[in-house]
Amino acid sequence: MDLPTFWFLAIAFLFVGYFVLEGFDFGVGVLMRTFGRDQAERRLLLNTIGPVWDGNEVWLITAAGSMFAAFPHWYASVFSGFYLPMLLILLALIVRGVAFEFRGKRDDAAWRARWDWAILCGSLLPALLWGLIFANVVRGVPLAADHEYAGGLADLLNPFALLGAATFAAVFVLHGAVFVALKTTGEVRDRANRLAARFGPVAVALLLGFLAWMLVGVRRDPAAIGVGSAAAVAAVAALGANRVRREGWAFAGTAAAIGLTVVALFAALHPALLPSTGDPAGTLTVANAAASAYSLKIMTVVAGVFLPLVLLYQGWTYWVFRKRLSLTR
């Protein structure tokens, strides 16, 4: 395997980790205001993700940094073509992080309510926009021969991308509901389980529709079809596990469905990085967008030293905070 292909796979792995882990805390953030009936329940939901949400965002920072260093042309085209969605994601994540810290600074119901709405919006907006971005990346966007984005905002709001936005948001909410059921006890656990049972079929239907459209109508790739089919099976299995109150298996199912969907996206994309729907010469590929061999070698050495340490630390964090939480009023 050459180094550009290795780093394409490494970036895919980083985005899998990001969406699997950040996906459930996006889901919990959306449920903060809508599922939590009072301040005690909302505090409980916040406590389920409190120790891990900021660590989950490290995956995004590492993925973006890897794109910049390994495929600078890809990074430049994506971040310029999707400038507005990326900016909105950044602002939403900032507001969300501030809200997590500030909502408990004052013992005032109106103060907390405003920050709860900020958490909801700061969780829902990135979920929608990541779906919009990744659907457009795999579908392709208008690129000139010099790889510059040649379209406008309207080009990004196509039906396939809008379905991707709805799918990502719905599956993350399902992932979050299953996580709440996994991490809590008593009435909150029961209600989260029922919510996942009611909302799950909607989320899975959207996921199946998105995968079918991507793998049949956008990119027909045998490997991607196999992985996408596995994602569909995992999503359906998660609903079955949730129905029999096996939250651990249900969470594993939603995590597998999200991870395999991201793998299917990258498999359908390869060897392209950003297909051009305009001038075919504008298509960015693993070969024509890669950094120098020397840069990739340095990156590989650094990743080999530090990535295992990061994985061990994050695994230790999840192990320490693995116990269920109870509601206290």
Side-chain angles (χ1 to χ4, degrees):
M1 182 189 301
D2 58 17
L3 285 177
T5 301
F6 170 81
W7 276 102
F8 175 82
L9 296 175
I11 291 168
F13 170 75
L14 291 170
F15 274 111
V16 167
Y18 174 65
F19 286 125
V20 168
L21 298 177
E22 189 85 306
F24 70 75
D25 66 48
F26 280 153
V28 174
V30 173
L31 295 174
M32 276 277 295
R33 185 70 190 177
T34 56
F35 177 82
R37 292 176 173 173
D38 53 32
Q39 290 299 331
E41 289 190 359
R42 291 168 193 153
R43 181 72 247 181
L44 177 65
L45 263 63
L46 185 58
N47 287 344
T48 64
I49 60 173
V52 298
W53 70 268
D54 50 353
N56 294 341
E57 293 185 352
V58 172
W59 290 80
L60 174 61
I61 296 169
T62 308
S66 298
M67 287 177 64
F68 173 77
F71 301 103
H73 296 297
W74 187 24
Y75 177 91
S77 295
V78 168
F79 278 77
S80 61
F82 299 101
Y83 182 81
L84 180 58
M86 290 289 190
L87 177 62
L88 292 175
I89 288 173
L90 178 61
L91 293 176
L93 292 178
I94 291 172
V95 169
R96 180 170 171 263
V98 170
F100 282 147
E101 300 296 334
F102 273 52
R103 76 176 299 277
K105 298 298 184 182
R106 184 184 298 176
D107 188 14
D108 178 74
W111 168 271
R112 290 179 176 173
R114 286 193 292 270
W115 289 117
D116 288 342
W117 280 111
I119 292 171
L120 188 156
C121 296
S123 300
L124 180 60
L125 187 60
L128 290 166
L129 291 176
W130 280 125
L132 182 83
I133 290 170
F134 269 80
N136 273 302
V137 166
V138 75
R139 174 182 177 269
V141 294
L143 294 174
D146 60 358
H147 311 304
E148 290 292 327
Y149 182 68
L153 180 61
D155 294 293
L156 304 181
L157 302 177
N158 56 82
F160 177 66
L162 294 176
L163 177 60
T167 300
F168 270 53
V171 173
F172 287 167
V173 171
L174 172 61
H175 197 35
V178 172
F179 182 75
V180 171
L182 177 66
K183 286 289 294 179
T184 58
T185 62
E187 181 189 357
V188 173
R189 176 189 177 187
D190 295 337
R191 285 173 43 227
N193 179 269
R194 291 196 297 269
L195 174 63
R198 290 195 301 269
F199 183 71
V202 176
V204 171
L206 285 170
L207 179 63
L208 296 180
F210 175 71
L211 287 170
W213 193 343
M214 179 182 73
L215 299 173
V216 176
V218 177
R219 300 277 168 199
R220 291 194 179 188
D221 179 87
I225 290 173
V227 177
S229 300
V233 171
V236 174
L239 296 185
N242 179 77
R243 189 167 296 277
V244 296
R245 304 293 298 271
R246 299 296 299 270
E247 288 97 350
W249 285 108
F251 183 74
T254 54
I258 293 170
L260 290 169
T261 297
V262 177
V263 172
L265 284 165
F266 277 87
L269 195 59
H270 187 268
L273 295 175
L274 187 59
S276 173
T277 58
D279 189 340
T283 294
L284 285 166
T285 67
V286 172
N288 68 19
S292 68
Y294 180 75
S295 297
L296 296 177
K297 287 179 183 178
I298 296 297
M299 288 178 61
T300 304
V301 172
V302 173
V305 173
F306 289 103
L307 183 59
L309 297 177
V310 173
L311 293 175
L312 285 171
Y313 173 75
Q314 192 159 35
W316 175 80
T317 303
Y318 276 91
W319 176 256
V320 169
F321 295 101
R322 67 189 183 278
K323 292 185 179 179
R324 291 181 182 268
L325 303 177
S326 301
L327 183 65
T328 56
R329 299 185 186 276

